[in-house]
Amino acid sequence: MPILYKLIIAHLLADFFLFTGKWIQERDRNRFRSWHLYVHGLIHFISLMLFVPHVDFLGYAAGITLSHIIIDGLKPDSDRASGKTWIFIGDQLLHLMVLMIAWGMYADIRLGNIIGQYPFVHWEILIGFVLLTNPVRFLIGSLMSNFSQSMETNPSSEMQSFKGMVNAGTWIGIIERVLILIFILADQWGAIGAMLGAKSIFRFGDLTRAKDLHLTEYVLIGTMLSYGIAIITGLVLKGFLFSF
């Protein structure tokens, strides 16, 4: 299992942290014609080899990289196509399936040498923390895209006057999800309630002054999604840890 965890972490880092912004848009627009797609593949290859630095893994890393380039090259541009959420989920499931196939083939060769390596690292917990940052942010963004379009087509003067810091909402969401996971692993459920209560108090004034139903519903849906995904992730990790 440690090898699979490392492959997943390498994928998450390469897909959501080391290749973002305009490069993603350029890759999605031009696909196989874009050099960004091949740079993205190279980043994945390097990330995989850093986490599994074995000479006999080179072939598997190359195969995973090639599959990643093909999957991303065939993926429709989510900004232009309908079903943005399902494109995102399907893309990640395909990548995960490739990783599991490669892991299964490679583990049969080196499983005896790998088990017990890094005994003090809980790779599944590290996956949980990485997953709750940018990957979940992209997922929530795609889920909320329809609601954000509704707000853009029905702007109000109150909504336009409430402009916060750039990327502040993104960082708030990441920090709160990470804290929720820590609290669940530490059995501090009361701290989650206190954090939600504190956020509600800070948000209440803004929403009251805005007096805009769209904005209120948008904030509530986003908060519930963020908290819900973090809590489910924490429960799954905790159940997995105590099952062994």
Side-chain angles (χ1 to χ4, degrees):
M1 295 301 289
I3 281 290
L4 179 59
Y5 298 152
K6 293 175 188 178
L7 294 180
I8 294 174
I9 293 172
H11 167 77
L12 293 175
L13 291 176
D15 229 24
F16 296 100
F17 292 89
L18 303 178
F19 194 84
T20 57
K22 293 183 179 179
W23 282 31
I24 291 180
Q25 297 174 359
E26 180 67 23
R27 178 202 65 188
D28 290 346
R29 278 197 299 265
N30 297 313
R31 297 186 237 181
F32 290 110
R33 293 174 297 168
S34 172
W35 60 267
H36 297 83
L37 175 63
Y38 305 102
V39 172
H40 184 49
L42 179 61
I43 291 172
H44 266 272
F45 179 80
I46 295 173
S47 180
L48 289 166
M49 291 307 302
L50 286 175
F51 276 86
V52 189
H54 302 297
V55 175
D56 59 352
F57 187 70
L58 277 169
Y60 295 95
I64 294 171
T65 301
L66 179 60
S67 73
H68 199 101
I69 291 174
I70 293 173
I71 291 171
D72 282 1
L74 295 175
K75 181 180 67 174
D77 186 354
S78 58
D79 289 334
R80 300 180 183 181
S82 58
K84 182 176 182 179
T85 301
W86 291 111
I87 292 174
F88 172 81
I89 293 175
D91 172 66
Q92 293 304 311
L93 286 177
L94 284 174
H95 291 318
L96 178 60
M97 183 176 67
V98 171
L99 291 178
M100 294 186 70
I101 291 173
W103 164 72
M105 296 171 63
Y106 184 67
D108 287 339
I109 300 171
R110 295 185 55 87
L111 188 60
N113 296 331
I114 293 168
I115 292 298
Q117 195 176 19
Y118 307 112
F120 303 106
V121 177
H122 290 290
W123 291 99
E124 59 272 20
I125 294 179
L126 185 56
I127 289 175
F129 279 111
V130 174
L131 190 66
L132 290 177
T133 54
N134 273 1
V136 170
R137 175 173 74 87
F138 279 101
L139 176 60
I140 292 177
S142 63
L143 290 171
M144 297 291 291
S145 60
N146 291 332
F147 301 106
S148 61
Q149 290 172 5
S150 174
M151 291 176 62
E152 290 172 0
T153 54
N154 298 283
S156 66
S157 58
E158 291 87 354
M159 287 169 58
Q160 294 176 347
S161 64
F162 283 87
K163 294 183 179 179
M165 297 169 57
V166 176
N167 294 327
T170 296
W171 282 104
I172 291 171
I174 290 174
I175 292 170
E176 70 185 11
R177 288 191 295 273
V178 169
L179 288 175
I180 287 172
L181 181 55
I182 293 173
F183 292 148
I184 290 177
L185 294 176
D187 275 327
Q188 297 296 322
W189 289 92
I192 299 176
M195 187 169 67
L196 180 58
K199 182 176 182 179
S200 301
I201 292 173
F202 283 114
R203 276 293 190 180
F204 180 76
D206 293 341
L207 296 177
T208 301
R209 283 183 289 137
K211 297 178 182 178
D212 189 278
L213 183 59
H214 287 86
L215 178 61
T216 303
E217 291 175 339
Y218 183 83
V219 171
L220 286 175
I221 293 172
T223 299
M224 292 302 102
L225 274 174
S226 183
Y227 272 67
I229 293 173
I231 290 172
I232 290 172
T233 302
L235 291 174
V236 169
L237 278 178
K238 197 160 188 180
F240 185 84
L241 289 174
F242 282 108
S243 65
F244 291 92

